Amino acid sequence: MDSFTDLSSSTELKKTKRLHQYMGALVVTLLGTASHGAMAACEYSVDNSWNSGFVASVSVTNDGPTPIDNWEVQWQYSGDSRIVNHWSSDISGDNPYTARNAEWNGSLQPGQSVMFGFQGTSSGSAETPDVTGALCGGGSSSSSSSSSSSSSSSSSSSSSSSSSSSSSSSSGGSAENLYSLAAFPIGVAVSAGNESRSFLDIAEKQTSIAQHFSELTAGNIMKMSYLHPSEQTYDFADADEMVNWAGANGIGVHGHTFIWHSDYQVPSWMSNYSGDFEAMLNDHVSTIADHFAGRVESWDVVNEAIDENQSNCYRNSLFYQRLGSDYIAQAFTVADAADPGADLYYNDYDTEGGNSEKLDCLLQIVDDLQASNVPIDGVGFQMHVQIDWPSTSQMRTAFQEIVDRGLKVKITELDVPINNPYASTPFPQYTSYTAEAAALQKSRYKSIVETYLDVVPSHLRGGITVWGLWDGDSWLLDFDEREGADDWPLLFSGPSNGPYEEKAAFDGVAEALTGQ
C-alpha cells in the first residue's frame, strides 16, 4: 500500500514566517455586513519577483470595534501583469480583478486579519499602482516593494519559501498558509533525491509546499534500501538535502521508515545476512536515528507489520522470520535510545475501521508494546481511503481506541480518490473531474478532518499528512487495481511543473480546521 505530537512551544522546527512587503498594484474595497464604524488596515506585499513573474499577497486587518462579515478586494494592473494562480480567496475577472473571501475566512473580528495570495506573470519588474479602499485606513492602503528580487524562478522559490506571515497563526482563520489553521503538523509527502518529479527540482513545488505545509515526509528516500544500501555503507546525501531544505524553511520532518517488509525496499544484503541479525538490525535503526536526531520530529518506526489473515496477526516478513515479533519492540527501544526527543509511531493501512480484523490486530500489537513498557508514542493511520469507505463512525471508533490508550493519533498518508475500484458500481465511476465529483471529495476530506478533531484531543494530535502535493504526483495513478483510470486524489491540481491550484478538497480541509 505504501509507495514512496502535538507541536509545543519547544518544538525547534515549528514554522515561523516573516511578512515580506510586495511590489504590486491594488485597489481595495471591503464590502459586507460590517457596521458603519468598521475600519481595516490593508497591505499589499510582494513575497518574490523574477524576470517573468511574481508571488504576492494581500492582508486585511480589522482595526475597527465591530466585526466585518464578508470582504471583497479589487485591483488592476496598468501593464501586462496577470494572475495565473491564487489561494485562500475566490478571484474573478481579468484585470481588473475581484477577490472575495472563501467560505471559511469571511468573518473578521476586531483585531483579526485575513491574508490571501496569488501568483502572476509579468515582463520586467512587478508593478506598483496606487492603493485605495473604503474601509482601508480611511480610504487608502499601503503597497510597497521588497528590497530585492531574484533573477530566476528557481531562486525565487527559495526566497519565497523562506518567508511568509509570522502572524498567520493568530489571524483568526486565514489560510494564506494552510498549516496556520492547525496547532499540529499539516504535512505532505514528497519525492526527492534522484526520483522523478523531485520537489527540489521544481520551484513551483517548493513555493506551494512552503506556503501551506509545516511538515514533510519522504515518499521513498528515507526507507531502508536508500539509507543503508550495503552492510558497511549508509547513504544520507539525498535525505540530508531534503531535511536541510525543510529546516531552512521552518518545516518539520516525519521520518519514514526504519523497518518495512516490502521486497523492493529491503536491501538484498540484509535479506541474505548470515550474522547476528538482531545486532545488525539494531545498529541499522540506531545509526539512522542518531544521524537525524534533533532534525526529525517523529518516525514511523515499523511500517505494515500486520497480516490480519495470520492467526497471530504478524506478517511473515524477513524480520518476523528471523526474530519473531520481538523485532518491533526492539526497534522502538533502540530508536528511543538514539533519539529520545523524537515521537515514535507504528504505521499501517486499513486500520482506520473498515477492516475490523486488522484493527483488532493493531490493538493487540499496541497493547503488547504498552504492557512491556516499550516507548511507543503513537499510531499512524495511513488513511488511503475511498470516497465512501470506511464510514465516519468506523474511523471514529478506530481513533478512539488509540486515544483511550493514551497514544497520539497521526494521519500519515491521506488521499481520497474519486473512483473506487472495489465498489459494486462500474469502475471508473467518473471519467472527468466534474463539479459533482469535486463536491463529493470536498465533503469527504472535510468529514475526515472533522472526525479527527472531534475524537482526538489536542494533546494527542500527531498531525495530518496528505500523500503528495498535486493529483499528478499520486501513487494511485500507477496502482494496478485502478486499471490506469484517471483520478484526482489530492488537494491541488495543475501541470507537472506548476503553478498548483487549490481544489475544493483543499477548501474542505480548511473549513474543517476552522470549524466552518
Side-chain angles (χ1 to χ4, degrees):
M1 185 69 65
D2 196 337
S3 74
F4 287 76
T5 31
D6 231 314
L7 287 180
S8 68
S9 59
S10 63
T11 303
E12 293 281 335
L13 294 175
K14 187 174 183 180
K15 277 196 167 184
T16 55
K17 301 216 170 195
R18 299 191 314 273
L19 176 62
H20 274 219
Q21 295 191 330
Y22 254 44
M23 300 169 63
L26 184 69
V27 177
V28 181
T29 303
L30 292 179
L31 301 177
T33 57
S35 72
H36 179 71
M39 296 294 292
C42 309
E43 184 174 15
Y44 178 93
S45 302
V46 174
D47 285 341
N48 204 11
S49 65
W50 55 99
N51 288 340
S52 60
F54 61 93
V55 177
S57 63
V58 175
S59 65
V60 179
T61 301
N62 183 356
D63 281 349
T66 57
I68 295 173
D69 293 324
N70 299 324
W71 48 265
E72 183 177 288
V73 176
Q74 298 172 339
W75 69 96
Q76 183 171 4
Y77 301 107
S78 61
D80 65 351
S81 297
R82 295 295 183 269
I83 292 174
V84 296
N85 188 28
H86 64 276
W87 49 89
S88 302
S89 69
D90 180 11
I91 293 182
S92 59
D94 183 16
N95 202 39
Y97 294 97
T98 298
R100 297 177 178 86
N101 57 274
E103 293 181 16
W104 42 267
N105 65 1
S107 178
L108 294 178
Q109 298 299 314
Q112 289 185 331
S113 300
V114 65
M115 180 178 288
F116 68 92
F118 45 92
Q119 180 180 4
T121 60
S122 64
S123 59
S125 60
E127 218 182 304
T128 316
D130 293 336
V131 178
T132 62
L135 296 180
C136 296
S140 65
S141 299
S142 63
S143 70
S144 53
S145 34
S146 58
S147 58
S148 63
S149 61
S150 62
S151 59
S152 71
S153 62
S154 176
S155 58
S156 76
S157 170
S158 176
S159 173
S160 172
S161 63
S162 63
S163 61
S164 188
S165 172
S166 62
S167 60
S168 297
S169 61
S170 60
S171 63
S174 168
E176 191 267 348
N177 316 105
L178 183 63
Y179 69 80
S180 72
L181 303 183
F184 51 82
I186 299 296
V188 61
V190 296
S191 296
N194 61 4
E195 293 182 284
S196 64
R197 301 177 293 188
S198 168
F199 83 102
L200 291 172
D201 295 332
I202 302 174
E204 295 285 1
K205 280 191 175 180
Q206 295 176 51
T207 299
S208 294
I209 288 167
Q211 183 76 29
H212 288 297
F213 297 98
S214 58
E215 189 172 78
L216 297 186
T217 300
N220 275 307
I221 64 167
M222 294 180 77
K223 290 174 181 171
M224 306 181 73
S225 63
Y226 285 82
L227 294 185
H228 199 176
S230 64
E231 182 180 353
Q232 302 301 326
T233 301
Y234 288 88
D235 185 353
F236 295 115
D238 288 344
D240 278 341
E241 183 183 23
M242 186 202 79
V243 172
N244 291 341
W245 182 91
N249 288 277
I251 300 174
V253 175
H254 176 70
H256 179 75
T257 171
F258 292 125
I259 298 176
W260 187 36
H261 72 277
S262 182
D263 288 342
Y264 87 99
Q265 282 295 353
V266 177
S268 59
W269 70 267
M270 191 176 287
S271 298
N272 299 316
Y273 192 76
S274 59
D276 186 334
F277 197 89
E278 180 179 357
M280 176 275 295
L281 193 61
N282 288 348
D283 182 74
H284 164 84
V285 173
S286 179
T287 300
I288 295 171
D290 179 72
H291 179 83
F292 292 106
R295 297 188 294 151
V296 171
E297 296 173 342
S298 53
W299 278 96
D300 293 329
V301 176
V302 177
N303 192 50
E304 300 178 3
I306 295 172
D307 183 350
E308 70 276 19
N309 297 312
Q310 301 295 321
S311 60
N312 63 4
C313 289
Y314 290 99
R315 183 185 299 276
N316 191 32
S317 66
L318 168 70
F319 312 105
Y320 184 81
Q321 292 170 15
R322 297 293 186 93
L323 301 174
S325 62
D326 289 346
Y327 81 91
I328 299 176
Q330 192 70 14
F332 276 90
T333 300
V334 170
D336 182 66
D339 184 8
D343 280 346
L344 304 179
Y345 288 84
Y346 174 78
N347 191 55
D348 218 319
Y349 66 94
D350 282 4
T351 53
E352 57 272 5
N355 186 330
S356 59
E357 293 83 4
K358 193 157 190 175
L359 176 59
D360 289 342
C361 286
L362 170 66
L363 299 179
Q364 174 186 314
I365 289 176
V366 168
D367 288 344
D368 289 346
L369 292 175
Q370 289 192 306
S372 299
N373 295 317
V374 173
I376 179 174
D377 295 296
V379 169
F381 291 88
Q382 289 185 13
M383 298 288 289
H384 295 297
V385 299
Q386 303 298 335
I387 201 77
D388 54 359
W389 176 94
S391 68
T392 299
S393 62
Q394 288 172 321
M395 292 182 198
R396 178 180 295 273
T397 297
F399 293 164
Q400 189 66 56
E401 291 283 7
I402 301 306
V403 168
D404 289 345
R405 287 159 171 79
L407 295 175
K408 293 184 178 181
V409 175
K410 189 175 184 72
I411 294 177
T412 55
E413 304 181 20
L414 177 62
D415 46 32
V416 181
I418 299 296
N419 295 307
N420 183 356
Y422 312 107
S424 58
T425 54
F427 177 83
Q429 290 84 38
Y430 293 90
T431 57
S432 62
Y433 191 63
T434 63
E436 178 186 18
L440 286 171
Q441 187 181 54
K442 174 184 176 180
S443 177
R444 181 62 160 167
Y445 266 105
K446 185 174 182 178
S447 69
I448 290 170
V449 177
E450 287 175 335
T451 300
Y452 181 80
L453 295 174
D454 187 43
V455 175
V456 184
S458 59
H459 70 286
L460 294 179
R461 294 173 187 163
I464 298 175
T465 290
V466 289
W467 203 243
L469 177 65
W470 76 288
D471 291 331
D473 281 344
S474 177
W475 70 289
L476 291 170
L477 301 182
D478 300 320
F479 190 50
D480 289 343
E481 294 184 43
R482 304 193 70 84
E483 303 170 9
D486 287 338
D487 217 306
W488 309 268
L490 299 171
L491 303 185
F492 294 81
S493 62
S496 60
N497 291 329
Y500 304 102
E501 184 172 355
E502 296 90 341
K503 296 162 51 184
F506 176 98
D507 292 337
V509 174
E511 289 175 15
L513 291 173
T514 54
Q516 301 296 311

